[in-house]
Amino acid sequence: AVLGALLLSLSGRPLFDLLLRDVPFAYVVYGLWTGAAAGLSLIPMMVLRVKEQAFRFVLLQVASFLLTAALIVYFVVYRGEAALGQVKGMLLGTCVLLLVSLVLLVREIRPAFSLRDATETVRYGVPLIPQGIAEWVMAGSDRVFLLYYGTLASVGLYSLAYTLGSAVNVLIFSLQQAL
């Protein structure tokens, strides 16, 4: 995830300029790094699930949501950064979750590499890539329509409202995952 974000941040501008003509590349870079941080933060969260530490799992998920929502409100409403504020808030909230979860679990994570395990993981995960891309497109397509028929400010406000409106879903999802 980090390698992909780095490569696309450094050399992906022509591709994204072609695909997302009206979206400043800075938004894309924030999105790439948010995705990389979110992917990395899954590791400590899965450790909590495997160790059946439901309370810590839910606490981190809910705290992350609240912090991210607060950061988005700060950047969009108080700083007036519209859509850029939304992606900044997402990136910072995701990075804080990653750092906090790594600090809490640093003693429990032992980095190791197994070619056999890596091969099995890739074989298992590759079929999930099209599904993940489809989910990403479906989740973000509403904002693309807003961008083309509205302004970046409307996208930022919509994203803020969407984030705040999904509070109940975050709590339910966290509890489901923990259980």
Side-chain angles (χ1 to χ4, degrees), residues 50-81:
V50 167
K51 291 187 173 279
E52 297 181 359
Q53 296 179 358
F55 180 76
R56 288 173 83 185
F57 180 89
V58 171
L59 184 65
L60 276 175
Q61 288 283 60
V62 171
S64 172
F65 170 77
L66 292 174
L67 176 65
T68 300
L71 288 167
I72 291 171
V73 167
Y74 172 74
F75 286 118
V76 172
V77 176
Y78 293 108
R79 300 268 315 257
E81 294 185 11

Side-chain angles (χ1 to χ4, degrees), residues 152-165:
L152 281 177
S154 64
V155 173
L157 289 174
Y158 174 82
S159 295
L160 171 64
Y162 188 91
T163 300
L164 294 175

Side-chain angles (χ1 to χ4, degrees), residues 57-177:
F57 180 89
V58 171
L59 184 65
L60 276 175
Q61 288 283 60
V62 171
S64 172
F65 170 77
L66 292 174
L67 176 65
T68 300
L71 288 167
I72 291 171
V73 167
Y74 172 74
F75 286 118
V76 172
V77 176
Y78 293 108
R79 300 268 315 257
E81 294 185 11
L84 183 61
Q86 195 269 339
V87 292
K88 274 185 181 179
M90 291 290 293
L91 176 60
L92 289 175
T94 304
C95 287
V96 169
L97 169 66
L98 174 61
L99 291 174
V100 168
S101 58
L102 285 175
V103 166
L104 290 175
L105 296 171
V106 73
R107 283 177 266 139
E108 299 181 36
I109 297 176
R110 306 266 184 311
F113 183 77
S114 163
L115 185 57
R116 188 175 135 249
D117 290 345
T119 304
E120 287 180 29
T121 302
V122 169
R123 275 202 329 253
Y124 176 79
V126 166
L128 298 174
I129 292 173
Q131 180 262 339
I133 292 171
E135 273 186 30
W136 178 70
V137 168
M138 290 297 293
S141 62
D142 52 356
R143 290 161 184 86
V144 173
F145 284 107
L146 275 174
L147 179 63
Y148 281 107
Y149 295 110
T151 64
L152 281 177
S154 64
V155 173
L157 289 174
Y158 174 82
S159 295
L160 171 64
Y162 188 91
T163 300
L164 294 175
S166 66
V168 173
N169 288 341
V170 168
L171 182 60
I172 291 169
F173 176 76
S174 296
L175 290 171
Q176 284 176 335
Q177 293 294 308

